[in-house]
Amino acid sequence: MVATQPAASAGPSDPMPDHKRAAGTRLGRRNDPDRRDRIIDACIEVVSRAGVAGTSHRKVAAQAAVPLGAMTYYFDGMDDLLREAFTRFATTISDRFERRMAAAPDADAAREAVIAIILEDVFGDDRELVLSHELYTLAARDRSYRSITADWMARSRAALERHFDPETARMLDALIEGLTIHRALDSQPRDPREVEIAVTRILTRGGEAR
């Protein structure tokens, strides 16, 4: 009869037996696969309320309901987190813009889509207005943030060029930006018809829809 060796116990070099390690864990601690995304979303919310100047690791961690140490685990400082947050915000707006333009079947519908973007989508609430202006302020002095706004504008123009020539698309893009800012910051309500008039004038003078 062959003697069997006793099972080896977990020693200092093996603090936890393999069979007790939960799948998807790090050093036996259960990971939260959505934690990084939650932190990014939390950063967007904190910036929308407090601005970039009022945003801190502590505030974002509290908003995301994560330990403060998670901030530096997932992100290489506040700039890294802010770039991720503003990239997500800009991508969300661009996706919505592209859906509007892609759904337009013809020139008339494209014109109505541009009007709807100004009146309903872009800066549709104070939250998006604050986030956009915080991003513009950062982009004005930091090239790494400027690349986010450049990509945002490029996607907007590409969406418009589904229906309009490139020059007209640039004018419409500038109009969308300018009118929505003016309407959002004006203390008096504005007549929605001014948007229709402005869009029609650019399309009449700038070129026909494709």
Side-chain angles (χ1 to χ4, degrees):
M1 178 175 175
V2 180
T4 58
Q5 295 293 327
S9 60
S13 61
D14 184 15
M16 183 178 294
D18 288 342
H19 71 279
K20 288 189 177 181
R21 292 183 185 274
T25 64
R26 181 176 180 269
L27 298 179
R29 296 191 299 260
R30 187 171 299 279
N31 285 332
D32 178 354
D34 299 323
R35 177 176 286 183
R36 188 175 186 276
D37 278 342
R38 287 212 318 276
I39 293 172
I40 293 172
D41 288 338
C43 184
I44 293 172
E45 290 306 313
V46 173
V47 172
S48 73
R49 295 195 304 265
V52 169
T55 298
S56 66
H57 284 305
R58 190 174 300 278
K59 288 181 181 179
V60 175
Q63 176 71 29
V66 301
L68 186 58
M71 306 300 294
T72 52
Y73 179 84
Y74 290 101
F75 303 96
D76 186 19
M78 182 56 74
D79 268 346
D80 185 30
L81 174 56
L82 286 171
R83 281 192 292 270
E84 291 282 352
F86 280 119
T87 297
R88 177 169 295 182
F89 167 69
T91 299
T92 299
I93 301 298
S94 294
D95 288 346
R96 194 167 63 200
F97 192 112
E98 287 178 343
R99 286 195 296 270
R100 279 277 195 190
M101 299 311 300
D106 53 36
D108 288 339
R111 171 181 168 278
E112 294 302 318
V114 171
I115 293 170
I117 285 169
I118 297 172
L119 293 177
E120 301 172 18
D121 289 355
V122 184
F123 306 141
D125 54 35
D126 290 342
R127 174 180 176 277
E128 291 186 359
L129 179 67
V130 169
L131 288 166
S132 299
H133 281 268
E134 291 289 331
L135 174 56
Y136 297 158
T137 300
L138 288 172
R141 65 172 185 267
D142 189 325
R143 285 187 175 274
S144 64
Y145 292 97
R146 204 174 305 166
S147 66
I148 299 173
T149 57
D151 288 345
W152 183 355
M153 288 188 293
R155 287 189 64 186
S156 296
R157 290 172 185 172
L160 289 165
E161 286 174 17
R162 285 175 173 267
H163 302 282
F164 310 106
D165 64 83
E167 183 178 357
T168 303
R170 284 195 298 273
M171 289 189 289
L172 285 172
D173 191 34
L175 175 71
I176 291 168
E177 190 85 1
L179 269 182
T180 48
I181 291 173
H182 276 257
R183 290 176 64 82
L185 298 180
D186 200 324
S187 60
Q188 301 296 324
R190 305 292 292 267
D191 188 342
R193 289 178 298 176
E194 71 177 5
V195 174
E196 182 178 356
I197 292 169
V199 171
T200 301
R201 285 181 179 177
I202 286 180
L203 293 182
T204 301
R205 298 176 183 180
E208 295 296 327
R210 290 179 175 177

